[in-house]
Amino acid sequence: MTSASQDCGPAHEQQLEPLVGPRSEPAADSAACLLRLAPHLLGRARRGIVGSSRYAQNLRESIRRAAAAVDGRAVLISGEPGLEKDNIAALIHFGSSARKQLLVRLNAALLRPDGAELFASGAGELSLLACLGAGSLLIDQVDLAPAALRPLLLQLARDGSWSDPDQPGRRFVFPGRVFFTAEKALPDLDGCCQLIRVPPLRVRRQDLGEWLRYGVRQKALSLGWSRPPSVSEELVKRLQTYDFPGNLRELSQLIERALRQCGAGRYPEMLPDDVFWTGRRGPQRTRFDLWRWKPQLRDWMRSPRLWNGLLFGLVSWVFVLVNLWLWLGPQDRQHNGALNLFWAWWWPLILLAYPLVGRLWCSFCPFMVWGEISQRLARRLGYQPQRWPRGETDRWAAPALAAGFAAILIWEELGDLVNTAWLSSCLLLLITAGAVIGSLRFEKRFWCRYLCPIGGMNGLFAKLAISELRAQVGTCSGSCSSYACFKGGPAAGEGLATEGCPLGTHPAHLDDNRNCVLCLTCAQACPHRSVQLRLRPPAADLQREMAPPAGEAGLILVLAGGLSLQHWNRLLGWLPLAPDSLQSGFLLPRLAFAMLALALPAVLWLLLQWTGRWQDWLGRAAAGRAWLLLYALLPLLWALMLAQHLPLGMAEAGQLLPVALAPLGSGSLLNGWQWSADGHVIAFCQSLVVALGVLASIVLLRRLLQLEFRHWLWLSGLPLLLGAGGRWLVAAF
């Protein structure tokens, strides 16, 4: 650098002594110089600029121009933390004509105010700048340099001049090139340097897929993978919604963590989406950790003896007895206790449980208990289930799940399952068969996560729960290397030996309760006490930024269709071709009207999307995310389903003992042990539940859609109207 830049202003207010060049002996050829430079050397660039976006193209062009510049002007590379700005300096240096010279890096935040590490020669030695000769100097984090050092670095950037504190009065010229990196603007340096501003990763979302695949290939090979795995487009789209405050450094850590979570010796062709988990978008306020409040509760709840005894010692055999009872006992609900247990107890209780414990039922569901039993027996016989297919599974599984639930609803209505014991047992056994086949086909609980209709409903309403099981991201990313909570493994520390999360999900990755059954397997396996059982506000999972599976909105419409199907006569009975009953008569008209009643909510939803001024409001506020309206109405749907099943539960659940013993002729002896609510009490409870659902949906409309106040007031009439119509429907029970 032989002359100062014209736009840098005056070099110094004092008259400078004539500049003297470095000592005649080439500094880089000295063994002592090499020893001094060795701790600071950069041998090569780590990687090029990945991506095809205009930001990546502009950055590559800026690097090319800086490398081709013949004036050797200083370069200031600015950008947020984690953008590998030192690598960009290396790309410029090794892409220039000075590529055969050395490149050294120093951190300005660690230098002394007089810059002695850079300028001072010491007794009988050369200064670092003199040793560097015509090489390049990279000063990292120049914005954090001591205040007294900044003028010296500014002078070095202007004209390459510097002075040795041990040789006062003499000034030297650095013939090499200077690079600076900074995380904030430095007006003093801007005019003296060529500026390269590196855009953050959140701005270059188009490049994320290319960065991710490149990083996976590089890291997998360095970790000993014989063949780099692929990543799904669904994963890329999900990660594009995350801002990556740590930029490329955070992405690199994310990739390494994901690869290490996959079991040793079992290298999947496609990485599971669940091994990629990021930090929360904001602080998790209003959370209360139950286990910190009552530590002994954690020890009791994570006991394998408790879970094994409950699942394999009780639930599995009770399920067998219930099915035998349904097949061999009386076939009507007034004389079969198992039928009473199924329809008067299970349905109301599971709906009541959703706002409290979410998807807890799935943790001891008898369908999957027998699925696990069959899977363990198959493994003992030498059969190993395949790893379940990763990638965009939800893309086809979510619609299939919604279609399966629709088929169950139609079968329930046409076959009168509520009053037919053996058909109710057929439904239970059919779902169990799916769980067993799924368990034999794929590892863990593939059926539960993707295909079980009951599991889909449970996962949907679990978003309303006030409880959640989550891991602390900082502890998992900073302390854990085994990831036993996700993939299983032997006991470590206070962690117990487990087979890993049955749904294949890391507890730090969870964005909502959909894929958490509260089985506490992660809490059993974790040796760091990272997993927490917490209380939170209701419906905390329903956020504007959420990214649910594409078919989940269809399940909401199917469940709403179940309400209209149960009361089809009030909605469609006036039509000329309507049958007298859906339980008897010719099958074709019964099936046609059942499907029509089931499709009514979907038809209304399509009409609502095509007509009405509310589209304009959502166009400005939700930007094509009209399906958020369905999630805002989710509390109302839950309330209407509960109101529909409350009459059966409150009127007949208390008669379980007399009904169960009626075939033995002892039912009359237990008439004093039965209880049934008055019709007015049932009606009041129905109205109260629906009112709570309407109120919760109105609040969610405001939070999810972020409408203007007047538009929100107008749109609030929709849950009021649907709540009133739903209350009219369930009153016909």
Side-chain angles (χ1 to χ4, degrees), residues 503-725:
L503 296 190
T505 304
H506 196 291
H509 164 265
L510 291 170
D511 291 324
D512 56 38
N513 281 346
R514 184 174 68 96
N515 290 327
C516 179
V517 298
L518 292 176
C519 65
L520 303 183
T521 302
C522 53
Q524 293 173 351
C526 180
H528 308 291
R529 296 201 172 208
S530 174
V531 181
Q532 298 177 338
L533 180 62
R534 305 185 299 197
L535 298 180
R536 63 181 191 177
D541 289 340
L542 301 181
Q543 300 293 336
R544 181 177 170 79
E545 301 81 10
M546 63 183 180
E552 194 175 64
L555 180 59
I556 296 177
L557 294 174
V558 168
L559 292 174
L563 290 169
S564 59
L565 177 59
Q566 289 287 328
H567 307 285
W568 72 275
N569 198 33
R570 283 197 129 189
L571 296 172
L572 304 175
W574 53 273
L575 292 175
L577 299 177
D580 296 331
S581 171
L582 292 185
Q583 286 79 43
S584 61
F586 292 107
L587 176 62
L588 188 59
R590 292 190 291 129
L591 180 61
F593 271 82
M595 295 178 65
L596 179 59
L598 188 66
L600 277 180
V603 172
L604 292 176
W605 170 246
L606 292 176
L607 291 175
L608 190 63
Q609 283 189 294
W610 291 336
T611 60
R613 288 188 58 190
W614 72 279
Q615 291 183 66
D616 299 330
W617 308 339
L618 293 182
R620 293 193 296 269
R625 294 163 63 86
W627 49 265
L628 286 172
L629 178 61
L630 291 178
Y631 284 89
L633 296 174
L634 191 59
L636 176 58
L637 175 60
W638 165 81
L640 290 174
M641 290 182 65
L642 178 58
Q644 176 183 330
H645 288 89
L646 274 180
L648 189 59
M650 297 180 70
E652 298 187 19
Q655 301 176 9
L656 175 61
L657 289 179
V659 169
L661 296 178
L664 302 178
S666 304
S668 59
L669 300 177
L670 297 175
N671 286 336
W673 292 79
Q674 61 180 332
W675 174 87
S676 181
D678 184 79
H680 296 87
V681 175
I682 296 175
F684 172 78
C685 292
Q686 286 181 300
S687 300
L688 179 62
V689 168
V690 172
L692 289 175
V694 169
L695 180 61
S697 290
I698 291 175
V699 173
L700 278 178
L701 279 175
R702 180 70 169 174
R703 189 173 80 191
L704 293 182
L705 299 181
Q706 298 181 358
L707 302 171
E708 297 178 12
F709 183 74
R710 59 190 181 91
H711 292 161
W712 171 66
L713 285 180
W714 278 104
L715 199 56
S716 296
L718 180 61
L720 286 170
L721 180 63
L722 293 176

Side-chain angles (χ1 to χ4, degrees), residues 354-416:
Y354 287 143
L356 300 176
V357 291
R359 200 175 171 178
L360 178 63
W361 163 257
C362 289
S363 64
F364 50 88
C365 167
F367 309 140
M368 205 57 227
V369 169
W370 281 101
E372 286 195 20
I373 291 174
S374 62
Q375 192 175 83
R376 294 185 182 187
L377 290 175
R379 284 175 173 167
R380 289 185 179 181
L381 295 175
Y383 173 79
Q384 181 64 39
Q386 297 181 15
R387 304 191 71 153
W388 66 29
R390 297 293 182 174
E392 302 182 17
T393 308
D394 274 320
R395 184 178 296 276
W396 60 266
L401 186 149
F405 208 103
I408 289 176
L409 290 173
I410 292 177
W411 183 24
E412 174 188 328
E413 189 64 23
L414 296 183
D416 194 19

Side-chain angles (χ1 to χ4, degrees), residues 230-267:
S230 60
V231 295
S232 67
E233 284 297 330
E234 185 181 47
L235 170 66
V236 174
K237 292 176 182 177
R238 176 168 65 81
L239 291 180
Q240 284 174 338
T241 65
Y242 179 64
D243 287 340
F244 283 98
N247 291 295
L248 297 178
R249 184 187 303 123
E250 183 178 1
L251 179 61
S252 179
Q253 294 171 350
L254 181 79
I255 292 171
E256 181 172 3
R257 190 168 62 222
L259 291 171
R260 291 187 182 277
Q261 286 180 73
C262 296
R266 299 185 67 188
Y267 302 133

Side-chain angles (χ1 to χ4, degrees), residues 12 57 129 149 282 306 334 355 400 505 532 696:
H12 203 280
Q57 295 174 11
L129 273 181
L149 179 61
L306 169 67
Q334 286 72 31
T505 304
Q532 298 177 338

Side-chain angles (χ1 to χ4, degrees), residues 156 214 231 328 447 593:
L156 188 65
Y214 174 83
V231 295
L328 303 177
W447 169 266
F593 271 82

Side-chain angles (χ1 to χ4, degrees), residues 299-347:
D299 297 332
W300 178 75
M301 292 181 67
R302 67 195 290 265
S303 169
R305 183 176 300 177
L306 169 67
W307 285 99
N308 290 335
L310 178 64
L311 296 181
F312 305 109
L314 180 62
V315 171
S316 59
W317 299 112
V318 168
F319 183 69
V320 172
L321 294 175
V322 166
N323 278 279
L324 290 174
W325 198 349
L326 291 172
W327 276 92
L328 303 177
Q331 293 300 297
D332 60 292
R333 200 172 63 248
Q334 286 72 31
H335 298 90
N336 192 306
L339 203 58
N340 179 284
L341 191 66
F342 182 28
W343 294 102
W345 282 86
W346 184 83
W347 266 108

